[in-house]
Amino acid sequence: MNVRCAARRLVAATLLGPLVILVSCSGPARTDASFSSKAASTADQARSSVETVVVLVESADRHHLPEPYLSTAIAEAEDDAGAALTGFESVQPPSSRSDLVRSRTSEVVGDAVDLLAQARISARRGHAPVELLPELRRASVRLDSLAANVER
Amino acid sequence: MDRPKPPTGREVDACLELLDRQLVDSGGDQAGKVDDLELTELEDGSFVVTAILSGPGALGPRLGGRLGMAVAALFERLHPDTDADPARIPFGSVKDLGSHITLSRSRDHLDVNRMEHWVRDRVIARIPGAGDAPE
Amino acid sequence: MRKYLEVTLGVLTAIGGFVDIGDLVANAEVGARFRWNLAWVVVVGVVGIVLFAEMSGRVATLTERGTFDLVRERLGPRFALGNLLASFFVTFLTLVAEVAGIALALELATSVNHLLLLPTCGVLVWIVIWKVKFDSMERVFGLLGLALVVFAVAAWRLGPDWSAVLHQATHPGVPDGEGTPTYWYYAIALFGAAMTPYEVFFFSSGAVEEGWDRTDLMVNRANVLVGFPLGGALSLAIMTCAAVVFAPRGITVDHLSQVALPVAATLGRLGLVVVLIGFFAATFGAALETGLSSGYTVAQYFGWPWGKRYRPVDAARFHAVILVAILLAVAVGLTTVDPIKVTEYSIVFSAVALPLTYFPILVVANDPQYMGDRVNSRLTNALASVYLVVIVVAATAAIPLMIATKAGM
């Protein structure tokens, strides 16, 4: 065993590592508990996006932030939430008991994604969507309680 | 090749002070590394260093293993002649031994620089501004 | 007086040049999730890089040769080749992240999709490397990078309870809702972001490029001892901004736009413009450094003529490597891979590569044949040995933790 051998193994391990991660990231949920856990983390991710947009819009209202930044940032938040939802909806519910969890999560997260889309459209038109703030905050609260209840 | 002279001057450990050292040409420019040494056997059975070998053709076999074979194969692929020998600098061209090896010839006359010239002529010289000093 | 100005300029350049996209992303992500519980890692990382940058600068100044040149000579071609492959891989990955980072920064300013901007960014980076003199390049981007001081201003304006901050920073723990393996994964990531391997190749080659001699050793020391810690303070400012604005709201950072948000929220339009300039300078400067480092590492190993101080025709293979590296970096970026993900991987792999890059410097810095009477002091060696242990531990734990925590999810 020499240094070169070890170095080669290290390189191989580091190249394989990411492959393993990619494989393990979006695996199926085998139990109702792990499915609920996925639902909760999806709700958390969506909530993070909604809160980001809340901060963005509040700041835009106070400071008149430039349109390119505002619209890009809101679009990124919307993409994240949308991706989380799509990822969640592609998972097969393990049993019929999880069906309710699935529909509830889809509904709440879906509403949030729609709201973020509205915000993005408004921002792209050069208008900071300040009027959406109350709805955004409500969406955040709904997502928070969804995450808490679903992992009961 | 001249008949090797009997040993005079100072003794150096070839491994420590010759191998993998930087080659510097008569103009003070970098000219590659000492990738391997050519040893010639004398009548009395002892060996003397007759040339410095440089470039992937020399380094590949020295590295050994699969990696070394890959490097050597690359050299064979890139060299215009088939079954070429690695670039060779006769030891008589060595002017000084120190933290680097100084040669008495310009690198343009060395076989070692073949790759550098190829890249220069085919790739770099074609890009505008290649001949300008950075501003 | 002239020397004093030179020192000041060097220090300012070092501060501005310290932060790159890895630091921007890592500090913001960590601040949002862990508040100040990982602040100690930044301090440890800064001390580490100060130690090794000073060593590599000293080695380059006294030997007038670059790191890889000496590594091969001192430790043999086989070890050095393994070292080269690992270092080149990590440097290249960082180059991909930095070039993509430039495009992201420009996207935030123009709302043009970063994929469309990517080829132009690659071309710009290459043109600067091709045409602009080394010290002009360093000065401009280092000083522009000082724009990131806006994070310190924003952190001060956000006004957290500083005694509570200090308490949490000095009594770190794993916060509720986060697992211990995730904590240590992010610790390693933050460590890798602070102790970037390419910095060492670049610094030592830069010393040769600028023709440093013994009298410049003092300048070297000042840059490193003052500039880098202040740069580390900037990292902590980024962490603070994220901790104050994002952590209470449960926001996780996944985009460069979020990194800038605390500044925009506190300082408004002007703050945002300044921070975007800072992002551009940081990523562009780092792209130049990683691009050049990819050339330095390969050329120094094989003994080719290298350096920006030569005309390109006089260092053809060196420039060819850089050209190919930039082309490939743009190509990888164009596969629509998420630049933030690439950044995260690049810092973790940097942590894995650290032992390979730092161990040879330690060996050379102790060799009187190269250093004369300027070998490492006993204190430096003691500190460096401790760091070597830390680095090896971090390197071995990095990949297992990455797999166990699914890259920190």
Side-chain angles (χ1 to χ4, degrees):
Chain A
M1 165 85 152
N2 53 42
V3 178
R4 204 169 33 117
C5 203
R8 228 187 288 150
R9 290 213 186 121
L10 183 65
V11 171
T14 58
L15 289 174
L16 284 174
L19 278 172
V20 179
I21 292 158
L22 285 170
V23 165
S24 59
C25 242
S26 48
R30 297 188 203 285
T31 66
D32 289 325
S34 68
F35 188 80
S36 298
S37 175
K38 271 196 203 295
S41 74
T42 307
D44 277 334
Q45 286 174 59
R47 190 173 155 270
S48 170
S49 297
V50 171
E51 284 287 337
T52 302
V53 174
V54 168
V55 178
L56 277 164
V57 175
E58 284 174 353
S59 313
D61 185 30
R62 255 204 316 274
H63 296 292
H64 296 291
L65 296 180
E67 181 268 322
Y69 172 75
L70 188 64
S71 58
T72 306
I74 294 179
E76 286 173 346
E78 181 202 349
D79 287 342
D80 282 353
L85 180 60
T86 320
F88 174 72
E89 287 179 334
S90 69
V91 177
Q92 174 75 6
S95 76
S96 55
R97 263 171 302 175
S98 286
D99 285 348
L100 185 60
V101 170
R102 187 179 187 280
S103 61
R104 186 96 183 93
T105 308
S106 275
E107 186 195 329
V108 175
V109 176
D111 287 347
V113 174
D114 289 338
L115 199 54
L116 293 176
Q118 282 182 57
R120 185 244 314 155
I121 291 166
S122 178
R124 280 258 152 79
R125 291 182 179 150
H127 164 73
V130 186
E131 66 285 353
L132 289 175
L133 270 177
E135 280 186 72
L136 284 165
R137 292 189 184 114
R138 264 199 302 274
S140 173
V141 171
R142 287 178 76 204
L143 286 162
D144 193 27
S145 52
L146 173 69
N149 292 333
V150 104
E151 258 200 310
R152 204 175 337 112
Chain B
M1 188 172 56
D2 304 324
R3 198 151 165 269
K5 303 191 182 97
T8 52
R10 60 183 225 257
E11 245 178 55
V12 294
D13 182 331
C15 229
L16 279 181
E17 298 193 44
L18 284 180
L19 282 177
D20 299 308
R21 290 275 164 166
Q22 179 75 44
L23 294 164
V24 174
D25 77 347
S26 54
D29 299 315
Q30 294 133 328
K33 292 254 185 187
V34 178
D35 292 314
D36 209 347
L37 295 169
E38 180 190 87
L39 301 171
T40 309
E41 189 173 0
L42 299 175
E43 291 122 9
D44 59 3
S46 65
F47 285 89
V48 69
V49 176
T50 40
I52 290 172
L53 302 172
S54 185
L59 185 61
R62 184 153 155 253
L63 285 175
R66 255 173 290 151
L67 201 56
M69 291 195 313
V71 173
L74 188 69
F75 167 75
E76 271 166 49
R77 193 71 83 70
L78 294 172
H79 203 279
D81 313 326
T82 46
D83 203 23
D85 292 322
R88 184 177 176 277
I89 302 164
F91 213 78
S93 305
V94 173
K95 195 170 83 173
D96 191 22
L97 296 178
S99 73
H100 49 251
I101 314 265
T102 317
L103 302 171
S104 55
R105 293 149 87 183
S106 162
R107 65 181 170 186
D108 291 326
H109 298 146
L110 296 173
D111 203 26
V112 171
N113 247 25
R114 184 192 296 265
M115 190 63 189
E116 176 81 12
H117 292 159
W118 187 90
V119 173
R120 184 190 63 194
D121 298 331
R122 290 298 182 85
V123 181
I124 299 297
R126 300 218 173 137
I127 305 171
D132 306 330
E135 53 195 58
Chain C
M1 184 62 186
R2 181 113 190 259
K3 205 69 179 177
Y4 174 73
L5 230 73
E6 207 181 297
V7 171
T8 316
L9 213 52
V11 168
L12 290 175
T13 310
I15 302 172
F18 184 84
V19 173
D20 70 356
I21 193 162
D23 298 297
L24 290 170
V25 169
N27 283 286
E29 286 188 1
V30 167
R33 275 176 83 160
F34 294 92
R35 292 190 157 97
W36 293 276
N37 284 299
L38 284 169
W40 62 271
V41 179
V42 177
V43 175
V44 171
V46 166
V47 172
I49 193 161
V50 164
L51 195 60
F52 284 97
E54 190 276 328
M55 248 188 268
S56 67
R58 183 165 24 107
V59 167
T61 310
L62 292 173
T63 61
E64 291 176 22
R65 294 169 51 196
T67 316
F68 267 85
D69 198 353
L70 298 168
V71 168
R72 178 171 162 184
E73 202 172 280
R74 190 66 178 71
L75 292 159
R78 282 183 212 96
F79 178 86
L81 186 62
N83 191 345
L84 172 66
L85 289 172
S87 306
F88 186 84
F89 173 66
V90 168
T91 304
F92 176 73
L93 209 56
T94 312
L95 176 64
V96 174
E98 304 291 350
V99 175
I102 304 171
L104 285 179
L106 290 175
E107 180 178 16
L108 291 176
T110 60
S111 74
V112 175
N113 189 298
H114 71 276
L115 291 172
L116 295 171
L117 295 169
L118 207 53
T120 316
C121 295
V123 169
L124 283 174
V125 170
W126 176 78
I127 288 178
V128 172
I129 292 180
W130 185 255
K131 288 237 80 156
V132 179
K133 239 165 68 168
F134 191 89
D135 52 4
S136 319
M137 184 187 86
E138 277 293 278
R139 286 280 133 86
V140 166
F141 287 98
L143 291 176
L144 264 183
L146 282 175
L148 291 174
V149 169
V150 75
F151 275 107
V153 177
W156 168 72
R157 277 285 219 105
L158 285 166
D161 178 0
W162 292 109
S163 58
V165 171
L166 200 59
H167 186 265
Q168 191 181 92
T170 47
H171 300 82
V174 182
D176 293 330
E178 297 286 4
T180 309
T182 318
Y183 178 85
W184 287 108
Y185 173 74
Y186 276 103
I188 292 174
L190 207 54
F191 189 61
M195 288 194 72
T196 43
Y198 75 80
E199 196 64 60
V200 159
F201 318 137
F202 186 75
F203 205 65
S204 65
S205 305
V208 178
E209 292 267 38
E210 298 202 3
W212 282 7
D213 57 21
R214 276 177 171 259
T215 59
D216 292 306
L217 270 180
M218 186 199 77
V219 178
N220 168 31
R221 287 238 165 92
N223 286 0
V224 164
L225 287 170
V226 179
F228 283 8
L230 288 177
L234 277 184
S235 291
L236 289 173
I238 297 170
M239 187 188 281
T240 302
C241 286
V244 174
V245 176
F246 294 142
R249 296 172 183 261
I251 295 175
T252 48
V253 173
D254 296 300
H255 298 280
L256 206 57
S257 56
Q258 287 170 305
V259 180
L261 185 51
V263 177
T266 345
L267 299 172
R269 209 183 175 98
L270 183 61
L272 181 64
V273 169
V274 174
V275 85
L276 289 181
I277 291 174
F279 282 1
F280 177 80
T283 48
F284 203 97
L288 295 172
E289 295 189 1
T290 44
L292 281 166
S293 296
S294 51
Y296 290 144
T297 49
V298 175
Q300 284 169 22
Y301 175 82
F302 286 111
W304 301 340
W306 60 269
K308 274 187 56 54
R309 61 198 179 290
Y310 295 125
R311 305 179 308 165
V313 286
D314 296 326
R317 283 171 295 186
F318 166 72
H319 275 279
V321 171
I322 295 178
L323 181 59
V324 169
I326 294 177
L327 282 173
L328 282 177
V330 171
V332 172
L334 287 173
T335 61
T336 73
V337 65
D338 178 10
I340 304 292
K341 278 275 168 307
V342 175
T343 306
E344 290 170 3
Y345 281 130
S346 76
I347 57 184
V348 174
F349 288 145
S350 292
V352 176
L354 280 176
L356 281 177
T357 40
Y358 283 133
F359 172 68
I361 295 167
L362 189 55
V363 169
V364 173
N366 272 306
D367 192 331
Q369 189 194 28
Y370 294 118
M371 306 297 287
D373 58 349
R374 296 289 205 148
V375 287
N376 280 357
S377 67
R378 231 174 294 178
L379 175 64
T380 310
N381 272 336
L383 216 56
S385 310
V386 169
Y387 264 90
L388 211 53
V389 174
V390 172
I391 284 168
V392 169
V393 168
T396 30
I399 303 292
L401 277 176
M402 188 189 229
I403 296 173
T405 62
K406 297 190 186 163
M409 283 189 208

